[in-house]
């Protein structure tokens, strides 16, 4: 993949001088992305490289200084510490990083998704329309779960998308959107939802020996009807069967504003003795994920691997520790697209899928105004890595 990218990106002129701003909650991921870009561009050889169009093409860092200082009242302002005029600007934001705090009238306040989203807008406002183009890379789509109206309620995700494009954002790149149809809110602007399927499969194959990847030994499971598309895609590229659960609810009672789940019902062929890949967009508390794993174990499933783009773990890791100790699942794979606690990274059941190289490829390609179509469709890369695994090369 590397060489193809290298060549293609030297045949075209960059849209503008590349600039990246990683908001405070996304600093670590941003620095990793930056390192890849610096390395690739330093290695690139081109006869055009000294021409004006490539001015500032090779630099020690593409990160631009920006900060969001707070007043004692908890209010804030966005500041950009160097010129952004004419840059092709990429803003990285992690709305889930609750580890950051600020002082609110002397109280320590943890940043919520609302705070991060507001800070993103502050930085866009500080740019003041001077950038040539603004792309927001927001891996966990802010309010992405509030994507449709079922009662008298707000449509927060659509509002946020419209607000961003009204402020001058040209493209929004997110990962594994809860429902990609939210892009209907901004039909004339760029919206990409990127799937980390390749990174999951690679993470699993690098950490698990002796898996037999065929429909007799392995199955893909969707924990609910909403996530079917993800499971179908993985099942198709790996040549596996799939199954799904649906939540049977009691519509006669209401608990905490919703109908309680009575049971998880399974639809699919026999799982006995097979390894399971359960795939979903996020682990929030993780309760339904563990219930699904338990149901599969009751049906005598063999190993259980959980793929989830965003590991929120909102109720901590205790439940997962207990489930792991009782043999309920074998591995959980989530990405570094959102904040991960040091405790999570140290768990023996956890596999971290690093997305920084993939994001760097996307930024590099977009900066040259090249198509990212083959980056968004990882089928070829998946087939290659599975073939290498079967040959024992990984």
């Amino acid at each position: 993949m590397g060489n193809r990218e290298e060549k293609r990106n030297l045949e075209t002129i960059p849209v503008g001088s590349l600039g990246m701003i990683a908001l405070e909650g996304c600093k670590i991921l941003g620095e990793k992305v930056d390192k890849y870009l610096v390395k690739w561009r330093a290695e690139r050889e081109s006869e055009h490289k000294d021409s004006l169009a490539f001015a500032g093409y090779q630099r020690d860092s593409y990160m631009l200084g920006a900060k969001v200082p707070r007043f004692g009242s908890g209010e804030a302002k966005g500041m950009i510490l160097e010129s952004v005029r004419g840059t092709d600007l990429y803003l990285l934001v992690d709305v889930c990083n609750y580890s950051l705090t600020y002082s609110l009238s002397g109280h320590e306040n943890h940043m919520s998704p609302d705070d991060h989203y507001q800070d993103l807008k502050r930085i866009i406002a500080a740019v003041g329309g001077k950038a040539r183009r603004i792309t927001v890379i927001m891996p966990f789509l802010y309010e992405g779960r509030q994507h449709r109206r079922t009662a008298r309620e707000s449509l927060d995700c659509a509002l946020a998308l419209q607000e961003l494009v009204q402020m001058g954002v040209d493209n929004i790149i997110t990962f594994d959107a809860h429902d990609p149809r939210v892009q209907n809110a901004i039909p004339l602007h760029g919206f990409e939802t990127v799937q980390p399927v390749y990174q999951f499969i690679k993470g699993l194959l690098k950490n698990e020996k002796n898996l037999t990847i065929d429909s007799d030994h392995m199955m893909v499971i969707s924990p609910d009807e909403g996530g079917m598309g993800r499971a179908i895609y993985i099942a198709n590229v790996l040549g596996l069967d799939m199954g799904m659960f649906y939540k049977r609810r009691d519509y006669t009672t209401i608990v905490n504003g919703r109908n309680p789940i009575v049971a998880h019902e399974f639809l699919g062929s026999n799982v006995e003795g097979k390894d399971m890949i359960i795939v979903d967009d996020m682990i929030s508390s993780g309760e339904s994920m563990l219930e699904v794993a338990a149901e599969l174990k009751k049906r005598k499933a063999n190993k259980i691997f959980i793929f989830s783009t965003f590991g929120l773990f909102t109720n901590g890791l205790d439940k997962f520790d207990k489930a792991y100790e009782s043999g309920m699942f074998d591995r959980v794979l989530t990405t570094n697209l959102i904040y991960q606690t040091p405790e999570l990274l140290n768990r023996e059941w956890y596999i971290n899928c690093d997305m920084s190289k993939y994001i760097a490829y996307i930024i590099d390609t977009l900066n040259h105004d090249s198509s990212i179509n083959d980056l968004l469709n990882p089928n070829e890369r998946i087939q290659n890595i599975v073939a290498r695994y079967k040959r024992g090369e990984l």
Side-chain angles (χ1 to χ4, degrees), residues 129-149:
K130 303 295 187 292
R132 178 156 307 167
R133 186 172 75 173
I134 298 177
T135 302
V136 168
I137 299 179
M138 184 190 278
F140 184 98
L141 187 60
Y142 172 70
E143 291 284 0
R145 282 188 283 183
Q146 190 46 33
H147 60 98
R148 62 163 186 236
R149 202 174 255 154

Side-chain angles (χ1 to χ4, degrees), residues 61-341:
S61 171
Y62 299 96
M63 283 291 189
L64 300 175
K67 61 179 185 180
V68 184
R70 295 257 166 189
F71 301 104
S73 60
E75 295 164 297
K77 62 178 175 183
M79 295 175 76
I80 287 178
L81 308 174
E82 52 198 293
S83 171
V84 290
R85 191 176 290 280
T87 54
D88 183 21
L89 192 58
Y90 294 82
L91 306 179
L92 274 73
V93 59
D94 169 14
V95 298
C96 294
N97 192 341
Y98 58 87
S99 72
L100 298 182
T101 58
Y102 61 92
S103 174
L104 181 60
S105 297
H107 299 282
E108 187 184 39
N109 209 15
H110 282 263
M111 286 183 74
S112 74
D114 295 350
D115 287 317
H116 287 293
Y117 174 62
Q118 200 66 23
D119 280 1
L120 169 68
K121 292 190 320 198
R122 290 180 173 117
I123 292 297
I124 295 168
V127 170
K130 303 295 187 292
R132 178 156 307 167
R133 186 172 75 173
I134 298 177
T135 302
V136 168
I137 299 179
M138 184 190 278
F140 184 98
L141 187 60
Y142 172 70
E143 291 284 0
R145 282 188 283 183
Q146 190 46 33
H147 60 98
R148 62 163 186 236
R149 202 174 255 154
T150 53
R152 287 177 292 275
E153 58 190 25
S154 56
L155 286 168
D156 299 67
C157 191
L159 281 171
L161 292 175
Q162 291 185 351
E163 192 171 20
L164 290 176
V165 302
Q166 277 158 8
M167 292 181 79
V169 172
D170 299 279
N171 293 296
I172 296 164
I173 294 173
T174 188
F175 281 77
D176 207 351
H178 190 68
D179 186 340
R181 287 174 295 189
V182 290
Q183 67 188 298
N184 288 336
I186 48 166
L188 300 178
H189 287 78
F191 178 98
E192 296 294 346
T193 173
V194 185
Q195 294 294 339
V197 178
Y198 169 70
Q199 285 79 4
F200 281 138
I201 291 170
K202 182 172 157 188
L204 180 64
L205 299 185
K206 285 206 157 162
N207 288 282
E208 285 287 325
K209 301 284 161 265
N210 309 321
L211 294 174
T212 310
I213 305 165
D214 63 35
S215 55
D216 295 329
H217 298 86
M218 205 179 240
M219 244 175 115
V220 187
I221 306 292
S222 172
D224 55 40
E225 64 281 17
M228 286 273 289
R230 285 179 202 92
I232 290 170
Y233 182 79
I234 295 179
N236 285 342
V237 294
L238 293 180
L240 309 177
D241 249 354
M242 74 147 284
M244 69 160 272
F245 284 85
Y246 69 92
K247 299 179 175 84
R248 194 149 58 90
R249 295 180 183 272
D250 176 3
Y251 288 111
T252 60
T253 55
I254 291 179
V255 180
N256 295 334
R258 51 176 50 194
N259 304 103
I261 297 165
V262 187
H264 291 264
E265 300 286 0
F266 180 66
L267 303 173
S269 54
N270 187 8
V271 305
E272 191 171 337
K274 294 180 187 172
D275 295 335
M276 301 286 124
I277 294 174
I278 309 176
V279 58
D280 207 359
D281 59 334
M282 65 183 78
I283 291 173
S284 188
S285 68
E287 212 153 294
S288 61
M289 202 54 116
L290 292 175
E291 279 170 24
V292 162
E295 287 291 333
L296 291 170
K297 279 293 184 194
K298 270 188 212 162
R299 293 171 171 76
K300 301 196 171 72
N302 190 27
K303 291 189 165 179
I304 291 186
F305 307 112
I306 294 171
F307 290 4
S308 186
T309 309
F310 306 108
L312 297 166
F313 299 104
T314 54
N315 293 357
L317 302 174
D318 294 352
K319 272 203 173 116
F320 280 85
D321 288 338
K322 287 197 183 81
Y324 177 67
E325 277 153 29
S326 69
M328 201 69 78
F329 69 88
D330 295 77
R331 298 282 202 162
V332 172
L333 292 79
T334 75
T335 69
N336 63 338
L337 291 170
I338 57 169
Y339 170 70
Q340 298 157 300
T341 62

Side-chain angles (χ1 to χ4, degrees), residues 20 26-40 62-63 92 137 354-361 363-364:
M20 277 200 316
C26 214
K27 275 276 188 288
I28 298 170
L29 182 63
E31 280 159 11
K32 283 184 170 173
V33 172
D34 190 39
K35 281 201 178 82
Y36 279 113
L37 292 167
V38 169
K39 178 175 171 288
W40 295 339
Y62 299 96
M63 283 291 189
L92 274 73
I137 299 179
D354 183 7
M355 301 299 294
S356 55
K357 191 177 190 180
Y358 196 16
I359 292 175
Y361 270 130
I363 291 176
D364 193 33

